[in-house]
Amino acid sequence: MADETGSAGATGSARANGKVILLGEHAVVYGVPALAAGIDRGARASASAAPQPELVIDGRPAEGPEVWQAFTALSNELAAPTLRVTADLEVPPGSGLGASAALGVAIARAVLSAMGKPAPAESVLAAANAWERVFHGNPSGIDTTAAFYGSCFKFKRGHAPEFVELVAPLRLAVVKAGPPASTKTMVEGVAKLRERRPDLVDKTLEAIQSLVQNAALCLPAGDLVGLGKLMDYNQMLLSGLFLSTPEIERACGIARERGALGAKLTGAGGGGSVIAIAEDPEAIVAAWQEAGLTAFVASCAGVADEDNP
Ligand code: PMV
């Protein structure tokens, strides 16, 4: 993971994965398991000793109180000295692809590496979760888990992830369907709906739970057709919680018309990204690009990798 470690003044470099939630976002906040996957794009970070704390993201000095609060929380968690940290994103921020968690994990790994320390899950995730709490208030921890392990797993809040072994790396079509939405706002929206309509929301959560359970069986069997159907149902249920948008529905429609086996929003919704499962994900990406959207194929490794380079 690190390139130079061990001595005072060393530079630590590391990376972390972005993520997609295959099924179960929002429900995971209420204790329902979700299925997530780390993807082969995320964030890179380097850290080295400096007289003043510095944080540069995508070539620009970090601005605003939130990001500094998050950086301080992460540094305090690791008892880090004063460092200059540079980080670069490989996924669009605020789009449900786990950009902030990937930054948190990559930075925590780089900081530990610059300190000459190992970077086990316990320390990295504690630091990255401290960073995430500043942005997301009450994160379930699913994003940082995906950023750390980069594989496919079932996640229940407060429990260790259950890794799902895949027959082959999972290849997904991913598109930025709309402008970013705030995860905090979207999570609060569901909480408010639940206060007003507990019957509706709790039935929806139960239904999502059963979709997740079935999808967890489809994945190790390589049943993409089954997985796609379950993703479509999940999208319908998310729409019922007011998490979808016309842009998201349009992106799902384009994917299905071009032969996708299933498509849904991923992450908080209200904008952000759509994922589609298909025999030929490149064809779906091409259809989205023809419609003027930014899209790419993401790959998820079949096994967990703690030493993500
Ligand atoms: O940060 P996002 O957009 O990937 O959303 C995270 C998933 C939620 O279930 C909506 C929130 C959470 O903390 O799990």
Side-chain angles (χ1 to χ4, degrees), residues 180-265:
S182 147
T183 299
K184 211 173 186 171
T185 308
M186 300 313 290
V187 169
E188 279 168 9
V190 176
K192 280 185 193 141
L193 181 64
R194 193 166 184 242
E195 271 167 31
R196 286 201 315 275
R197 297 285 312 274
D199 51 334
L200 170 91
V201 176
D202 289 347
K203 281 212 173 74
T204 303
L205 297 179
E206 262 174 50
I208 293 176
Q209 176 151 16
S210 105
L211 298 181
V212 169
Q213 273 160 359
N214 284 295
L217 300 174
C218 289
L219 278 165
D223 178 4
L224 297 186
V225 174
L227 179 65
K229 281 205 180 97
L230 296 165
M231 283 168 56
D232 280 343
Y233 292 141
N234 196 171
Q235 172 60 24
M236 276 167 37
L237 293 168
L238 290 166
S239 305
L241 296 176
F242 304 101
L243 296 164
S244 194
T245 63
E247 290 90 353
I248 289 171
E249 296 302 329
R250 175 171 174 254
C252 290
I254 293 171
R256 291 185 193 117
E257 266 167 38
R258 194 60 73 93
L261 301 167
K264 63 180 277 293
L265 68 83

Side-chain angles (χ1 to χ4, degrees), residues 259-280:
L261 301 167
K264 63 180 277 293
L265 68 83
T266 188
S273 302
V274 160
I275 53 170
I277 199 93
E279 298 293 355
D280 181 8

Side-chain angles (χ1 to χ4, degrees), residues 19 21 25-26 28-29 96 136 138-140 142-143 183 187 267-268:
K19 70 98 187 42
I21 297 183
E25 52 274 274
H26 285 282
V28 70
V29 173
H136 292 321
N138 184 22
S140 62
I142 193 168
D143 285 25
T183 299
V187 169

Side-chain angles (χ1 to χ4, degrees), residues 2-13 45-49 84 86 110 113-115:
D3 54 9
E4 300 162 45
T5 58
S7 59
T11 297
S13 296
S46 293
S48 51
R84 170 184 160 81
T86 59
S113 173
M115 292 165 72

Side-chain angles (χ1 to χ4, degrees), residues 274-293:
V274 160
I275 53 170
I277 199 93
E279 298 293 355
D280 181 8
E282 277 79 8
I284 312 300
V285 165
W288 282 331
Q289 286 170 343
E290 283 160 26
L293 299 169

